[in-house]
Amino acid sequence: MTRINLALQGGGAHGAFTWGVLDRLLEEEGLEIAAISGTSAGALNAAALKAGWLADGAAGARASLARLWADVAELGDLRLAPWLKALWPQAAAVADFVTSTMPVSPAGIAAQLVTPYAWGPGWSNPLEPVVRRLDFAGVCADKGPQLFIGATRVKSGRIRVFSGEEITPAVLLASACLPTVFQAVEIEGEPYWDGGYSGNPALFPLFAPDLPDDVLIVSINPMERPGLPVTPMEIQDRINEISFNAALLGELRAIGFVRRLIAEGRVERGRMKDVRLHLIADDATMTALSAGSKLLPNPRLIESLHQAGRRAASKFLRAGRAKLGHEATLDIASLLS
């Protein structure tokens, strides 16, 4: 049995790519997921996987993830006020059509001009019913993969990582709280925003001595995007991608530094974690999508990304399955150069 840890990035509806990756990994014989660190959509994927796994093993995890994304696909444009969707059920479909036929997104522009607090006390988080349908007895259980969920403290900008019984519906909602779209989530009197600002995802919880050395990152935010952004929306989209990758790149630099010290004999083996990193990504697919589509979950997009994730995971397993547990397949130096 090969034990690995998973690090799942956030990215709204693009998290359906991660669903596809997990769907394929759960089919693989002899692979055990020891721990998962997740942010935003990665946090939802992690919670759904664990809850389903404890109910019925790999088959239960796959079914739980499928239910999660079927629920998300019904939400429509996350930038539209919930009361508007209730009064006008076709609002999400109209917004989807307009966004696909216009060079700019009216809902995206509105999200930059109108704070979510403008809707007043009648505002509700559209993700809340989806999150509350998860089995939190399973999510918080001592058995199964350990879960680490990251959220950003609004006041300090620092990350807080929740685990075990700390993980509640509010924690998952906080981890996925984009501040231009959702009102901050309060936990123990403190406001939180999306964990992607401070760790997308956080890798350090996976360095515990009792966890395996292999960390498989599922990336859905392109590290590189060809061309120069020139329109206001393109510029904002790329700024968001860069900021959401910054914390991860910082941790990767630290891991690379420690690995060099160990390899050169400057640090005794066993004193520090010699992490073996792996990566599943599909930048070609992701760069073809606008950042705005992260807030437009629809069945077509979600199924397309699910299939892309399955293909990317199969490609990784063909090339790197035998190396899991033995050597890294991610060249950190090349990634950071």
Side-chain angles (χ1 to χ4, degrees):
M1 182 67 69
T2 303
R3 301 175 71 237
I4 63 170
N5 305 310
L6 297 178
L8 309 181
Q9 276 199 328
H14 294 185
F17 173 83
T18 303
W19 166 34
V21 170
L22 298 176
D23 197 38
R24 176 61 185 89
L25 293 179
L26 288 164
E27 294 177 344
E28 189 71 12
E29 294 289 338
L31 201 60
E32 179 186 343
I33 301 169
I36 311 174
S37 178
T39 293
S40 197
L44 270 63
N45 277 318
L49 185 154
K50 179 168 180 176
W53 178 272
L54 290 180
D56 190 24
R62 295 182 65 202
S64 179
L65 285 162
R67 285 194 301 271
L68 169 70
W69 285 99
D71 288 344
V72 172
E74 295 180 357
L75 295 177
D77 195 326
L78 298 177
R79 295 165 296 195
L80 296 177
W83 61 263
L84 177 59
K85 295 179 186 178
L87 290 174
W88 186 22
Q90 293 79 26
V94 171
D96 190 10
F97 173 77
V98 169
T99 300
S100 65
T101 55
M102 293 182 64
V104 296
S105 165
I109 294 173
Q112 301 300 316
L113 300 175
V114 181
T115 169
Y117 300 91
W119 304 117
W123 183 89
S124 62
N125 192 319
L127 288 174
E128 185 164 1
V130 174
V131 167
R132 289 193 178 278
R133 278 194 281 272
L134 295 171
D135 177 10
F136 277 83
V139 171
C140 299
D142 292 334
K143 299 179 291 183
Q146 296 182 44
L147 294 190
F148 302 99
I149 306 300
T152 301
R153 300 175 189 264
V154 176
K155 294 178 180 178
S156 68
R158 300 190 184 96
I159 192 170
R160 176 176 172 182
V161 176
F162 298 84
S163 61
E165 294 183 354
E166 294 177 324
I167 303 175
T168 62
V171 166
L172 294 186
L173 293 173
S175 184
C177 180
L178 284 171
T180 57
V181 181
F182 305 135
Q183 294 182 8
V185 178
E186 283 202 6
I187 301 171
E188 299 169 354
E190 183 171 4
Y192 287 86
W193 281 345
D194 196 295
Y197 293 108
S198 51
N200 194 23
L203 300 183
F204 65 87
L206 303 175
F207 301 161
D210 60 319
L211 294 176
D213 294 337
D214 290 77
V215 175
L216 172 55
I217 302 168
V218 182
S219 172
I220 55 179
N221 288 296
M223 295 292 182
E224 294 190 18
R225 183 178 285 274
L228 175 67
V230 293
T231 70
M233 293 300 293
E234 288 173 346
I235 293 169
Q236 188 61 51
D237 287 353
R238 189 55 184 151
I239 288 172
N240 288 338
E241 287 177 344
I242 291 171
S243 63
F244 267 58
N245 280 329
L248 175 62
L249 289 172
E251 287 200 86
L252 291 178
R253 288 189 185 92
I255 291 170
F257 178 68
V258 169
R259 295 207 76 196
R260 287 198 303 274
L261 293 179
I262 294 173
E264 295 168 1
R266 296 163 65 186
V267 171
E268 183 182 351
R269 288 192 177 275
R271 288 192 62 191
M272 302 183 75
K273 193 87 165 180
D274 191 2
V275 179
R276 294 186 290 264
L277 287 174
H278 313 274
L279 177 71
I280 295 179
D282 183 353
D283 280 4
T285 292
M286 294 306 175
T287 53
L289 300 171
S290 70
S293 63
K294 294 179 179 181
L295 298 172
L296 282 167
N298 64 67
R300 297 185 310 279
L301 174 65
I302 286 173
E303 182 54 29
S304 172
L305 288 172
H306 172 243
Q307 292 302 319
R310 285 188 58 86
R311 290 192 298 271
S314 293
K315 180 180 179 181
F316 168 80
L317 290 169
R318 286 193 299 271
R321 175 67 175 86
K323 296 181 181 180
L324 290 175
H326 303 287
E327 61 180 289
T329 60
L330 175 62
D331 184 349
I332 300 177
S334 295
L335 183 68
L336 297 177
S337 63

